[in-house]
């Protein structure tokens, strides 16, 4: 009996061990399967991420409607249309229609639109800087008119204590924005770039869905990549209250995944002050970028915030919107602080419609826009309204005006090619809009401001 009980216990232990081993085997198999699925998922995520950043070789997007419209006026566009690739032309024209409740809908037409085709965005990067600066002030509960003093804390940085263009003689974010939107002032942009910080500029725009851009340097300053990562300390002063913000360092400067070179040469200045020609393509790899489609989408987000997704909007107050609308559409002669001489005429920084003409616009026409011109690239991103005729449309375009392919030689074809092209483009679209039938006349009162 004792031997029988002993054999039974041994069998129980053996069965238990076999069951435990079976359970362990099943557990290991399940874990292995889960890990296998997780690895596959991770690999898929990596592949998707890489796919999102790899260069695209898709053809530029062109709609027949816009091509036909340009071809109807060969006397205006024939030179550029014969070889549009040479002039790096991109156009995005958007019609706006309103329903009975005045809600807008948009229909876009494209000519050689290609977000992967690099062009130097020049001063168009100042527009997102304006919006992000206002957004940051709102988060800090600081008025745009508050005095902002810029300090220096690193090589290449300069400070600001006064602003002779301001009514009170003191610098502020509001005054920098006025100068940017009126005459595209470079120093004003640099001060906003320093206030926001390089990392925040890009990360905040990416988070809003504007991913076809890269804003990584100040303008018209000979600073290195490392120097542009560092931004200045600033202080806001109101009465006896001082709010100080230290300088920032961006450790993750956005980089182009491909080398970007253009032209056949560029001029450089030696230490002795003499200019010389370097017979190599000019490298734009570490330069700013801002795709035309993102430019217009950002303009739409500011003008028609209810017509874009909440993610794409900027955190602006009603006063912020009115302020931006006012100075985007104001002509320089209408401004008192800052005040400008006759060099800054009504058509200054209004490349579309005006272009090559020092044109005095009809009182009913206003253009809400931001232009850019540098390295032979000429760009305008605009919303055009005619209050009397009930006309509104969006038009964005870039044209390359560098016949000899040499950069920094100040021999660009702006006057012969660029300004006439953009001026004529704006005028033929405006003429088309005057004839285009609309079911509902738009209520444009939102954009009427006092000058």
């Amino acid at each position: 009996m004792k031997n029988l009980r002993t054999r039974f216990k041994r069998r129980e232990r053996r069965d238990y061990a076999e069951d435990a081993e079976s359970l362990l085997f099943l557990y290991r198999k399940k874990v292995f399967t889960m890990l296998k699925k997780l690895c596959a998922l991770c690999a898929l995520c990596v592949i998707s991420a890489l796919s999102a950043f790899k260069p695209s070789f898709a053809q530029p997007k062109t709609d027949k409607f816009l091509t036909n419209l340009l071809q109807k006026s060969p006397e205006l566009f024939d030179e550029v249309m014969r070889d549009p690739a040479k002039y790096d032309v991109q156009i995005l024209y958007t019609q706006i229609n309103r329903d009975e409740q005045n809600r807008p809908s948009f229909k876009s037409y494209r000519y050689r639109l290609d977000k992967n085709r690099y062009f130097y965005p020049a001063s168009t990067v100042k527009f997102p800087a304006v919006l992000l600066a206002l957004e940051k002030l709102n988060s800090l509960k600081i008025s745009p008119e508050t005095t902002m003093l810029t300090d220096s804390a690193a090589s290449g940085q300069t400070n600001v204590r006064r602003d002779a263009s301001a009514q009170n003689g003191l610098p502020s974010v509001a005054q920098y924005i006025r100068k940017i939107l009126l005459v595209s002032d470079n120093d004003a942009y640099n001060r906003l770039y320093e206030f926001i910080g390089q990392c925040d500029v890009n990360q905040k725009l990416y988070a809003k869905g504007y991913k076809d851009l890269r804003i990584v340097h100040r303008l018209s300053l000979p600073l290195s990549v490392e120097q542009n990562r560092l931004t200045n300390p600033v202080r806001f002063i109101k009465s006896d209250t001082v709010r100080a913000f230290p300088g920032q360092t961006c450790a993750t400067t956005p980089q182009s995944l491909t080398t970007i070179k253009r032209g056949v040469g560029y001029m450089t200045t030696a230490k002795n002050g003499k200019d010389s020609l370097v017979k190599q393509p000019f490298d734009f790899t570490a330069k700013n970028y801002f795709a035309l489609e993102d430019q217009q989408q950002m303009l739409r987000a500011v003008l028609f915030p209810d017509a874009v997704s909440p993610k794409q909007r900027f955190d602006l107050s009603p006063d912020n919107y009115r302020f931006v609308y006012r100075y985007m559409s104001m002509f320089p002669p209408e401004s008192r602080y800052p005040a400008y001489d006759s060099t800054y005429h009504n058509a200054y920084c209004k490349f579309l419609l005006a272009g090559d003409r020092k044109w005095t616009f009809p009182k009913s026409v206003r253009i809400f826009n931001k232009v850019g011109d540098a390295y032979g690239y000429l760009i305008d991103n605009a919303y055009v309204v005619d209050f009397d005729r009930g006309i509104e449309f969006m038009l964005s375009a870039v044209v390359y005006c560098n016949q000899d392919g040499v950069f920094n030689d100040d021999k660009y074809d702006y006057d012969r090619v660029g300004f006439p092209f953009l001026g004529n483009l704006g005028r033929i679209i405006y003429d088309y809009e005057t004839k285009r039938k609309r079911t509902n006349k738009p209520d444009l009162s939102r954009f009427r401001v006092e000058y």
Side-chain angles (χ1 to χ4, degrees):
M1 187 70 177
K2 182 179 180 180
N3 290 338
L4 184 62
R5 285 200 299 270
T6 301
R7 286 198 302 272
F8 182 76
K9 286 181 179 179
R10 287 175 180 169
R11 182 177 178 182
E12 278 188 320
R13 286 196 295 270
R14 186 175 67 251
D15 291 344
Y16 177 80
E18 288 175 356
D19 288 343
E21 188 173 344
S22 297
L23 287 170
L24 182 60
F25 173 80
L26 291 173
Y27 176 77
R28 286 173 175 169
K29 185 177 180 181
K30 188 172 183 179
V31 170
F32 178 79
T33 303
M34 289 174 66
L35 287 173
K36 189 175 179 181
K37 288 181 179 179
L38 183 60
C39 288
L41 182 60
C42 290
L44 183 61
C45 290
V46 171
I47 292 169
S48 298
L50 291 173
S51 299
F53 289 98
K54 70 180 181 181
S56 171
F57 299 98
Q59 291 296 314
K61 297 175 182 176
T62 295
D63 294 302
K64 193 172 182 181
F65 167 81
L66 199 48
T67 303
N68 291 342
L69 195 61
L70 296 171
Q71 289 176 342
K72 286 180 180 178
S73 302
E75 73 283 3
L76 302 179
F77 303 109
D78 200 36
E79 179 181 354
V80 173
M81 291 287 285
R82 278 199 305 267
D83 193 357
K86 172 185 174 182
Y87 294 98
D88 256 352
V89 180
Q90 293 188 50
I91 304 170
L92 180 59
Y93 159 49
T94 300
Q95 296 175 355
I96 304 171
N97 296 294
R98 304 276 184 159
D99 64 12
E100 292 81 358
Q101 283 76 45
N102 201 48
R103 292 174 299 199
S105 60
F106 306 89
K107 183 173 178 58
S108 295
Y109 298 95
R110 302 152 297 184
Y111 181 74
R112 302 190 77 255
L113 190 68
D114 185 356
K115 66 181 180 181
N116 299 300
R117 176 63 182 173
Y118 180 85
F119 63 86
Y120 183 68
S123 293
T124 59
V125 299
K126 297 171 185 175
F127 185 50
V130 165
L131 305 176
L132 290 177
L134 289 172
E135 192 173 69
K136 184 170 182 176
L137 287 178
N138 289 339
S139 70
L140 297 169
K141 297 186 177 358
I142 297 174
S143 166
E145 301 289 354
T146 304
T147 298
M148 184 180 87
L149 302 183
T150 301
D151 299 318
S152 58
S155 173
Q157 295 183 359
T158 57
N159 56 35
V160 181
R161 296 290 180 272
R162 303 285 299 172
D163 186 344
S165 73
Q167 189 170 10
N168 64 358
L170 295 171
S172 67
V173 168
Q175 191 67 1
Y176 288 139
I177 290 174
R178 292 183 183 101
K179 292 192 283 187
I180 286 172
L181 297 181
L182 284 165
V183 298
S184 200
D185 187 282
N186 284 338
D187 179 71
Y189 158 77
N190 292 341
R191 301 309 174 181
L192 297 190
Y193 172 91
E194 292 161 356
F195 166 53
I196 304 162
Q198 187 193 80
C199 270
D200 276 358
V201 167
N202 293 281
Q203 289 171 5
K204 289 184 180 299
L205 293 173
Y206 294 166
K208 292 179 186 295
Y210 305 104
K211 296 185 178 180
D212 295 310
L213 55 77
R214 180 176 64 253
I215 301 177
V216 292
H217 61 81
R218 299 166 177 86
L219 300 178
S220 297
L221 290 177
L223 300 179
S224 67
V225 171
E226 291 300 323
Q227 287 174 315
N228 277 306
R229 287 177 177 170
L230 309 177
T231 51
N232 308 39
V234 298
R235 288 174 289 148
F236 289 89
I237 301 174
K238 187 174 183 180
S239 300
D240 295 329
T241 303
V242 178
R243 297 182 66 180
F245 300 89
Q248 303 175 59
T249 302
C250 183
T252 55
T253 298
Q255 300 291 326
S256 171
L257 293 181
T258 57
T259 300
I260 303 168
K261 294 189 176 182
R262 294 286 186 273
V264 298
Y266 59 93
M267 301 298 294
T268 186
T269 303
K271 290 182 179 179
N272 60 9
K274 290 186 178 180
D275 291 338
S276 60
L277 174 63
V278 178
K279 295 182 179 180
Q280 295 177 6
F282 188 70
D283 194 346
F284 285 93
T285 306
K287 296 288 187 183
N288 291 335
Y289 180 54
F290 192 8
L292 200 66
E293 199 166 2
D294 265 10
Q295 289 194 30
Q296 189 174 110
Q297 187 63 25
M298 193 174 296
L299 183 60
R300 185 188 299 188
V302 174
L303 297 168
F304 307 97
D306 293 336
V308 302
S309 68
K311 173 184 174 181
Q312 290 182 307
R313 299 172 195 164
F314 291 83
D315 183 18
L316 304 182
S317 68
D319 285 344
N320 292 155
Y321 281 114
R322 301 299 291 173
F323 179 75
V324 171
Y325 295 171
R326 184 176 192 232
Y327 287 98
M328 280 191 87
S329 60
M330 181 183 281
F331 301 125
E334 295 174 321
S335 174
R336 292 186 62 197
Y337 300 101
Y340 298 102
D341 61 30
S342 58
T343 305
Y344 300 91
H345 46 79
N346 275 11
Y348 192 84
C349 287
K350 304 294 181 187
F351 298 165
L352 293 165
L353 269 76
D356 52 330
R357 305 177 185 178
K358 292 182 180 180
W359 189 29
T360 300
F361 290 88
K363 290 183 178 180
S364 62
V365 174
R366 289 285 170 172
I367 301 176
F368 301 73
N369 74 315
K370 186 69 200 78
V371 299
D373 64 288
Y375 293 118
Y377 291 97
L378 208 60
I379 313 120
D380 200 349
N381 177 36
Y383 167 67
V384 180
V385 298
D386 187 326
F387 293 106
D388 290 350
R389 294 191 175 192
I391 292 171
E392 61 174 339
F393 63 91
M394 302 185 78
L395 183 60
S396 308
V398 56
V399 59
Y400 176 60
C401 318
N402 190 12
Q403 187 77 19
D404 64 6
V406 176
F407 294 95
N408 287 335
D409 63 352
D410 291 329
K411 294 179 182 178
Y412 301 125
D413 305 307
Y414 293 137
D415 292 332
R416 191 185 68 81
V417 176
F419 289 126
F421 178 83
L422 292 181
N424 288 324
L425 175 64
R427 289 189 286 268
I428 66 159
I429 297 294
Y430 176 83
D431 290 342
Y432 176 82
E433 286 282 334
T434 62
K435 303 177 183 68
R436 188 171 72 85
K437 292 183 179 180
R438 292 170 173 78
T439 304
N440 301 291
K441 186 174 180 177
D443 176 2
L444 302 172
S445 57
R446 173 182 174 84
F447 304 110
R448 285 188 181 273
V449 295
E450 294 295 325
Y451 300 103

